[in-house]
Amino acid sequence: MSNDAERPAARPTITDVARHAGVSKGLVSFALNDRPGVSAETRARILASARELGWTPNLRARSLSVDRSYALGLVIGRSVDVIAADPFFHSFIAGVESEFSTAGQVLVLAQATPGREETATYRGLAADKRVDGVFLSDLRAGDDRVALVRELGLAAVTLGRPDVESPFPSVSVDDGRGIRAAVEHLAALGHRRIAHVAGPSTMLHGRRRAEAFTTALVAAGLEPTAIIETDFSAVDGARATRELLGLGADRRPTAIVYSNDHMAFAGLAVAQRAGIHVPHDLSITGFDDTELARHTFPSITSVATDAFDWGARSARLLLATIAGQPVDDVELSEPRLVVRESTTTAPESESARH
Amino acid sequence: MSNDAERPAARPTITDVARHAGVSKGLVSFALNDRPGVSAETRARILASARELGWTPNLRARSLSVDRSYALGLVIGRSVDVIAADPFFHSFIAGVESEFSTAGQVLVLAQATPGREETATYRGLAADKRVDGVFLSDLRAGDDRVALVRELGLAAVTLGRPDVESPFPSVSVDDGRGIRAAVEHLAALGHRRIAHVAGPSTMLHGRRRAEAFTTALVAAGLEPTAIIETDFSAVDGARATRELLGLGADRRPTAIVYSNDHMAFAGLAVAQRAGIHVPHDLSITGFDDTELARHTFPSITSVATDAFDWGARSARLLLATIAGQPVDDVELSEPRLVVRESTTTAPESESARH
DNA sequence: TTGTAAGCGTTATCAG
DNA sequence: CTGATAACGCTTACAA
């Protein structure tokens, strides 16, 4: 039952446009991708025909022809629950897409699932050439993904500088600066026993924040105190807090710097449950400046970074890389400490001590 | 010219496999997509050749040929901040991808941005045929997206049943059931003035939860009380809570049912800040059963739904639709109320009243 | 059961 | 400048 005679709203092709404009397909292509070799007059005529016919190049055909997918990929690691809590991705993605509006690109989001591990996900993306490049986020210590992605021939940008040899440009923010600001803020408030609830040391940003914490402590002339490692989850943040608050009265911290807001929330609850008043008995700071940090009681002092901008800059950099343009690493604006109610002067007994 | 003729790591094509197996391209294609008409022996030989050469069909070529993209799309509305707070998407996406592991599909995530509105996003996806179908989430009242998507010729599934004529199958969960459970729980605890902090009435799930709230109230023999509409954000949840707590002592609710966890968090903070004890003076319930609901003080009673399963079922349904298989709407398992510390018996003065 | 050849809609090549 | 013609790699009638 085919009625080839009367085409049912078939989409026009480059051939139709060529015929309509009275030129060859090749010329239409040249005119479209404004390349030299087409007289201004002819180009105008071709473009007019294209518009009149409502023609838009077929992406699949173009894709096959030029061997590009016009898509970028972001694969999210396996620990869904930990990631789920992280509002970072939403803003980051919004930033990425803000660059797409003009570029005609698309974002392919892949999440490693029980049935498909991370490596397999990257391989699949590369095998099917689903994307032209990927964003490497949540860098790990000695991250094997940079070698993998390189081997797969994909372009990439890393979010943060990896600690392994990398051929990819990076977009980073100085997390340490934020942690340092938090520590200085607390030290200025008279705190002398400041602890840190860190992210996993296997993750670069978790590790760097912890290192910055130690450095800042030293710089402030304070003695090293407890640093408890977690997996960035709320449960783990709660556990770490219980551990810290369980220390003898003379070792218990008067302030805790959390590596992310979620753990700070959980920590706040643990303290309150134990009858420890925040901020009078204990000051706390978070990281990420989540919307919720403004809506807890007390509201939480936190380090704010610009995830949207991170996404936008990363996308621009990746697109430039793919286009073969020379690129440089980019350093984002410094994170800033947003002081709220969860931090105040150290408890009397403490500040009076020296 | 058997295996390596100094080819620069060029990826093998179907032609190479055909030559290697001593058959035609067509047959290789048939064997690959196991279609009838190929002798078992030949098929085995072809598959062996393919494996030996490490051949995998070129998705772009196939895509152009069969006019399919093997990708599904999810476009997230414009209010990033509101969405950002919602952990729903992460689990939903994980569920969707869990179905992809076997299907060779990919998820294209599009977010409307200031420079590109929602409608334009769908149109762009369709114009470039980036996806074979889309997930329609966060249904609105009289949602024009179903007509749009239909007009664009895309396949789709709706998350929840739309209130407009729809040609698409839906996957839904009975939110009302969850709200009802919350109300019944509170009523059983002696609460008689229960308020509701609702989502926007322009969003179907926000509206339905509010309706279910009213129905449940009536069923419990309670009088209608305040229902305050919000945009689902924490700020708005805080505002609504302040409004409710500002009511005269004889009208102030002793319990508040929030339409999502985020607003419940913000509401909790508002109450605490006002010196109102939760749950002794005020009981509250959330919706979504976020990880954080377990880590507040007090922990929050919430309605849990299975977002992962929602994603998995939706993906399966959409894929089936695209494959032209007959499908039916699916109803997910009932949401369940997870009782925690934020709900307890109504204040003395109240329960003693009747 | 297997081979042949015509698409799919672009872009790239290379004579006029 | 212009315009046939050949890739790109696969699917799919249609023959043999």
Side-chain angles (χ1 to χ4, degrees):
Chain A
M1 293 301 168
S2 56
N3 49 341
D4 297 9
E6 39 196 289
R7 293 202 170 180
R11 190 171 149 169
T13 76
I14 196 172
T15 306
D16 298 320
V17 177
R19 181 165 37 219
H20 184 103
V23 297
S24 71
K25 284 164 49 180
L27 253 211
V28 176
S29 178
F30 269 51
L32 174 73
N33 306 310
D34 44 38
R35 276 225 283 265
V38 186
S39 73
E41 189 201 359
T42 311
R43 153 174 294 121
R45 183 156 42 95
I46 292 175
L47 262 29
S49 291
R51 179 158 34 248
E52 185 175 333
L53 264 44
W55 173 74
T56 221
N58 179 311
L59 185 77
R60 285 171 190 156
R62 194 207 288 250
S63 226
L64 176 62
S65 186
V66 301
D67 199 37
R68 290 248 284 120
S69 41
Y70 301 100
L72 265 28
L74 174 62
V75 358
I76 297 180
R78 191 135 78 82
S79 40
V80 181
D81 290 332
V82 175
I83 296 300
D86 201 339
F88 170 82
F89 282 104
H90 286 282
S91 300
F92 179 82
I93 289 173
V96 167
E97 307 241 345
S98 73
E99 291 295 316
F100 287 176
S101 40
T102 56
Q105 301 278 330
V106 112
L107 207 227
V108 167
L109 186 72
Q111 197 157 313
T113 62
R116 191 193 52 190
E117 303 303 324
E118 191 181 61
T119 302
T121 304
Y122 280 102
R123 286 194 185 285
L125 246 31
D128 286 347
K129 295 192 179 180
R130 291 315 275 257
V131 299
D132 297 321
V134 296
F135 296 97
L136 252 25
S137 70
D138 289 316
L139 253 31
R140 298 184 290 253
D143 208 317
D144 51 346
R145 286 176 302 169
V146 349
L148 172 67
V149 166
R150 179 201 162 80
E151 173 206 324
L152 293 174
L154 289 172
V157 294
T158 57
L159 274 45
R161 263 179 292 279
D163 63 352
V164 293
E165 178 69 25
S166 165
F168 308 121
S170 69
V171 180
S172 38
V173 60
D174 189 358
D175 274 16
R177 196 77 175 226
I179 291 290
R180 196 148 62 240
V183 171
E184 283 166 3
H185 167 62
L186 292 168
L189 288 170
H191 290 275
R192 306 198 58 77
R193 284 206 308 277
I194 308 173
H196 181 50
V197 171
S201 62
T202 52
M203 299 189 77
L204 252 36
H205 57 308
R207 169 190 292 199
R208 283 182 181 147
R209 287 175 196 175
E211 289 170 354
F213 174 76
T214 303
T215 307
L217 223 52
V218 172
L222 300 178
E223 288 164 25
T225 45
I227 292 185
I228 299 189
E229 190 173 329
T230 69
D231 64 2
F232 267 140
S233 72
V235 226
D236 237 23
R239 172 187 60 74
T241 305
R242 271 191 296 273
E243 196 172 318
L244 288 172
L245 298 183
L247 293 175
D250 58 331
R251 292 182 53 216
R252 175 195 288 178
T254 63
I256 301 178
V257 171
Y258 289 85
S259 202
N260 74 15
D261 274 7
H262 256 66
M263 297 197 293
F265 295 144
L268 171 62
V270 166
Q272 291 175 150
R273 188 178 299 277
I276 294 173
H277 191 278
V278 176
H280 293 307
D281 301 329
L282 177 74
S283 285
I284 67 175
T285 66
F287 202 110
D288 285 340
D289 192 30
T290 306
E291 187 202 11
L292 235 41
R294 271 179 286 273
H295 297 284
T296 47
F297 177 65
S299 57
I300 296 178
T301 294
S302 186
V303 176
T305 57
D306 192 344
F308 183 94
D309 190 44
W310 205 341
R313 300 297 292 274
S314 300
R316 224 179 304 162
L317 194 63
L318 187 47
L319 254 14
T321 303
I322 292 171
Q325 294 162 20
V327 298
D328 276 314
D329 285 2
V330 354
E331 182 74 30
L332 299 172
S333 65
E334 287 176 15
R336 57 205 171 67
L337 184 72
V338 181
V339 177
R340 298 209 177 82
E341 306 167 337
S342 68
T343 46
T344 191
T345 51
E348 276 306 313
S349 56
E350 301 299 327
S351 56
R353 205 198 253 183
H354 58 284
Chain B
M1 186 95 49
S2 48
N3 295 23
D4 27 12
E6 308 301 331
R7 293 220 169 169
R11 188 171 150 170
T13 74
I14 196 172
T15 307
D16 298 320
V17 176
R19 181 166 38 220
H20 184 103
V23 296
S24 70
K25 284 164 48 179
L27 254 209
V28 174
S29 178
F30 270 52
L32 174 74
N33 305 311
D34 43 41
R35 276 227 281 266
V38 186
S39 73
E41 188 200 0
T42 310
R43 153 173 291 121
R45 182 155 43 93
I46 292 175
L47 262 29
S49 292
R51 178 158 33 247
E52 184 174 335
L53 264 43
W55 174 74
T56 220
N58 179 311
L59 184 76
R60 286 171 190 155
R62 195 209 287 251
S63 227
L64 177 62
S65 184
V66 302
D67 199 37
R68 290 248 283 123
S69 41
Y70 301 100
L72 265 27
L74 174 62
V75 0
I76 296 179
R78 190 135 78 82
S79 40
V80 181
D81 290 332
V82 176
I83 296 300
D86 201 339
F88 170 81
F89 282 103
H90 285 281
S91 300
F92 179 82
I93 289 173
V96 166
E97 307 242 344
S98 72
E99 291 294 316
F100 286 175
S101 40
T102 55
Q105 301 279 329
V106 112
L107 207 226
V108 166
L109 186 70
Q111 197 156 311
T113 63
R116 191 192 52 190
E117 303 303 324
E118 192 182 61
T119 302
T121 303
Y122 281 102
R123 286 193 186 286
L125 247 31
D128 286 347
K129 295 192 180 179
R130 294 311 279 254
V131 299
D132 297 320
V134 296
F135 296 97
L136 252 25
S137 69
D138 290 317
L139 254 30
R140 297 183 291 254
D143 208 316
D144 49 348
R145 288 176 300 169
V146 350
L148 172 66
V149 167
R150 179 200 162 81
E151 172 206 324
L152 293 174
L154 289 171
V157 294
T158 57
L159 275 46
R161 263 179 292 278
D163 64 351
V164 294
E165 179 67 27
S166 165
F168 308 122
S170 70
V171 180
S172 38
V173 59
D174 188 357
D175 275 15
R177 196 77 175 225
I179 291 291
R180 196 148 61 239
V183 171
E184 283 166 3
H185 166 63
L186 291 168
L189 287 170
H191 290 276
R192 306 199 57 78
R193 284 205 308 278
I194 308 173
H196 181 51
V197 171
S201 62
T202 51
M203 299 190 75
L204 253 33
H205 57 308
R207 169 189 292 198
R208 283 181 183 146
R209 287 175 196 173
E211 289 170 353
F213 174 77
T214 304
T215 306
L217 224 50
V218 172
L222 299 178
E223 288 164 26
T225 44
I227 293 185
I228 299 187
E229 191 173 329
T230 69
D231 63 3
F232 267 139
S233 72
V235 228
D236 237 25
R239 172 187 61 72
T241 306
R242 270 191 297 272
E243 198 172 317
L244 288 172
L245 298 183
L247 294 174
D250 57 331
R251 291 182 53 216
R252 174 194 289 179
T254 62
I256 301 177
V257 171
Y258 289 85
S259 201
N260 74 14
D261 274 6
H262 255 66
M263 297 198 292
F265 295 143
L268 171 62
V270 166
Q272 290 175 151
R273 188 178 298 276
I276 293 172
H277 190 279
V278 176
H280 294 308
D281 301 329
L282 177 74
S283 285
I284 68 175
T285 65
F287 202 108
D288 285 340
D289 193 29
T290 306
E291 187 202 10
L292 236 41
R294 270 179 288 272
H295 296 284
T296 48
F297 177 65
S299 56
I300 297 177
T301 293
S302 187
V303 175
T305 58
D306 192 344
F308 183 95
D309 190 44
W310 205 341
R313 300 296 293 274
S314 300
R316 224 179 304 162
L317 195 62
L318 186 47
L319 255 14
T321 302
I322 292 169
Q325 294 162 18
V327 298
D328 275 314
D329 285 3
V330 354
E331 182 74 30
L332 298 172
S333 65
E334 287 176 15
R336 58 205 170 68
L337 184 72
V338 181
V339 177
R340 298 210 177 82
E341 305 166 339
S342 68
T343 46
T344 190
T345 50
E348 276 306 312
S349 56
E350 300 299 327
S351 54
R353 206 197 251 181
H354 58 284

